Amino acid sequence: MSEHKPLRLRQLSASVFSTMDEARQRKLATGADVLNLSIGSPDLPPAPHVIEALARAVREPGHYGYPLKDLPAFREAVAFAYQRRFGVTLDPGTEVLGLTGSQEGLAHLTQAFTDPGDLVLVPDPGYPIYTAGPVLAGARLHPVPLKAEHGHLPDLEALPEDVKRRARLLLLNYPSNPLAAIVQPGFFEKVVAFARRYGTVVLHDAAYSELAFDGYRPPSFLETPGAREVGLEFNSLSKTYNLAGARIAYAVGNARLLGLLAEVKAHLDYGLFRPIQLAAVAALTGPQESVVELAATYQRRRDVLVDGLVRVGWDVPKPRATMFCWAPIPRGFESSLAFSMALLERTGVTVVPGSGFGAMGEGYVRLALVQGEERLAEAVERVARSGLLAHASM
């Protein structure tokens, strides 16, 4: 058998993630208590009424055929939720599309909106699928640096003029993974103006729109006048409703763009399992107290972890949204991978090296708030005892 590996696969770099996972497995094999702050997978269950809706639906024999189209009730629930939360009115029939998780939708969107060789603007640092999707579609990448001095917002006007003219697609994510950055007033207005001027399609990933703290309320891209004419917004029930394993999300916005994405999906999948859609309906239209409490839980966890790490000498910025912290590595380490490996070896705490999210991520690590407060306090104490911060002035 030929050992040939296609170029598009060779262009995908998962080495940092693979290296860290292998190291974690080796640590576990020694019997060590590994405290995993790497993967952003919710550790809490959905609300009881959501579980009950799923349980009722799976007992229905008629729910096990191919669900070739979204249930009207699901699309209507998404539209209802957007009106309630953002004041955005959507046509459930043409401006809402169900996705088998955000990852699937993000992977397919480049195939829907670009031809091979087209230029895609991707955030750097950014969630890995933002680069993997375009690479697998044969598109060309232009990383857009997200610098701390600019609030981790892209400076679109600073891009070379030829890049701006050739850019077919612009990917954005706020509140962001991995940076936990948030948008400032007026930012989306600039994005819409840029998209209109250069004919660029905008995709905004808003998966963390409800995990916000200290009174901050993340806006929807679609709240901005003109946004619906130039792009789409993705959102997910994974983080907001602790339904990550159910793999259910949606895209909303421009009807023509959604039609293109639906056309790609029609060739590649058979739609969302009906009981999961009905659980989503219960989540989106039912009581929202669990969402409020979830954000409060993550805020408490953030305070335990960040305040504790700052107290022991690691100057970790306090995020105002998401389930992540983005922290500079202590001085004295040659790379984010080297620090992450040392942290795992000395403390049993696993984090993600920032280099796994792009070149601009080097020098940082991402920590996920996916452990209870006691375990996060324990992580702080392990770091304090490790000596890793002894020679580091942050």
Side-chain angles (χ1 to χ4, degrees):
M1 180 182 294
S2 170
E3 295 185 1
H4 171 71
K5 188 174 185 179
L7 176 60
R8 61 181 175 274
L9 291 182
R10 284 184 274 130
Q11 288 177 303
L12 300 178
S13 175
S15 58
V16 169
F17 296 97
S18 298
T19 298
M20 286 305 304
D21 188 61
E22 291 167 2
R24 184 179 65 86
Q25 294 294 341
R26 289 195 300 270
K27 190 72 172 177
L28 283 169
T30 69
D33 177 22
V34 175
L35 217 167
N36 193 353
L37 303 184
S38 60
I39 186 169
S41 180
D43 62 308
L44 299 169
H49 71 278
V50 177
I51 295 176
E52 180 56 33
L54 179 60
R56 286 196 307 270
V58 296
R59 297 189 191 102
E60 292 292 331
H63 285 164
Y64 287 86
Y66 288 123
L68 298 180
K69 293 185 178 180
D70 298 335
L71 293 174
F74 171 65
R75 291 192 177 194
E76 290 164 5
V78 172
F80 171 81
Y82 254 68
Q83 180 64 52
R84 178 190 61 210
R85 170 67 173 85
F86 301 112
V88 171
T89 301
L90 297 168
D91 181 337
T94 62
E95 296 180 322
V96 180
L97 179 66
L99 305 171
T100 311
S102 290
Q103 183 100 343
E104 173 265 323
L106 290 163
H108 290 159
L109 70 91
T110 318
Q111 298 176 54
F113 304 153
T114 68
D115 288 318
D118 279 352
L119 195 64
V120 177
L121 302 177
V122 296
D124 182 8
Y127 187 51
I129 194 62
Y130 301 151
T131 57
V135 167
L136 291 172
R140 297 177 58 194
L141 301 174
H142 186 90
V144 180
L146 305 181
K147 300 179 180 179
E149 55 265 36
H150 294 147
H152 295 301
L153 299 174
D155 187 353
L156 298 175
E157 293 306 317
L159 295 172
E161 189 63 28
D162 66 315
V163 168
K164 290 188 280 192
R165 287 197 305 268
R166 291 187 294 117
R168 175 67 182 137
L169 182 62
L170 167 63
L171 297 178
L172 299 171
N173 168 218
Y174 294 99
S176 73
N177 175 14
L179 299 169
I182 60 175
V183 294
Q184 304 300 328
F187 171 71
F188 284 139
E189 284 82 353
K190 295 178 182 178
V191 171
V192 170
F194 176 90
R196 283 175 164 168
R197 187 180 317 131
Y198 294 102
T200 308
V201 173
V202 177
L203 187 285
H204 180 237
D205 180 5
Y208 299 93
S209 64
E210 306 313 302
L211 299 188
F213 321 128
D214 306 324
Y216 175 65
R217 296 282 282 172
S220 165
F221 173 61
L222 297 184
E223 290 181 62
T224 303
R228 199 184 315 234
E229 283 70 55
V230 299
L232 299 175
E233 184 161 77
F234 280 27
N235 212 319
S236 169
L237 283 85
S238 292
K239 308 305 191 296
T240 302
Y241 298 101
N242 293 325
L243 283 166
R247 309 311 304 136
I248 184 163
Y250 52 86
V252 293
N254 186 276
R256 185 186 72 84
L257 296 175
L258 283 181
L260 295 174
L261 182 55
E263 191 172 339
V264 170
K265 286 173 58 60
H267 291 282
L268 297 174
D269 70 43
Y270 285 99
L272 296 153
F273 187 37
R274 290 187 187 94
I276 291 175
Q277 291 191 61
L278 292 171
V281 171
L284 291 165
T285 64
Q288 300 299 298
E289 288 84 359
S290 63
V291 178
V292 175
E293 176 53 34
L294 183 65
T297 296
Y298 280 119
Q299 180 169 327
R300 290 192 298 270
R301 291 179 176 187
R302 176 205 66 175
D303 292 345
V304 168
L305 182 63
V306 174
D307 292 348
L309 291 175
V310 169
R311 185 183 69 249
V312 301
W314 190 355
D315 189 15
V316 178
K318 183 172 282 190
R320 295 185 64 191
T322 79
M323 60 200 305
F324 304 113
C325 299
W326 183 248
I329 66 173
R331 292 176 183 172
F333 290 90
E334 62 182 15
S335 69
S336 58
L337 177 59
F339 171 71
S340 299
M341 294 291 283
L343 185 68
L344 174 60
E345 182 59 32
R346 295 196 198 181
T347 71
V349 175
T350 309
V351 298
V352 179
S355 56
F357 300 99
M360 294 296 295
E362 184 52 78
Y364 296 83
V365 293
R366 191 193 73 178
L367 304 90
L369 302 171
V370 292
Q371 301 284 344
E373 293 173 45
E374 289 186 3
R375 291 287 276 171
L376 292 173
E378 182 180 342
V380 171
E381 294 308 311
R382 291 188 191 184
V383 172
R385 295 194 304 266
S386 70
L388 292 171
L389 306 178
H391 304 293
S393 175
M394 305 302 295

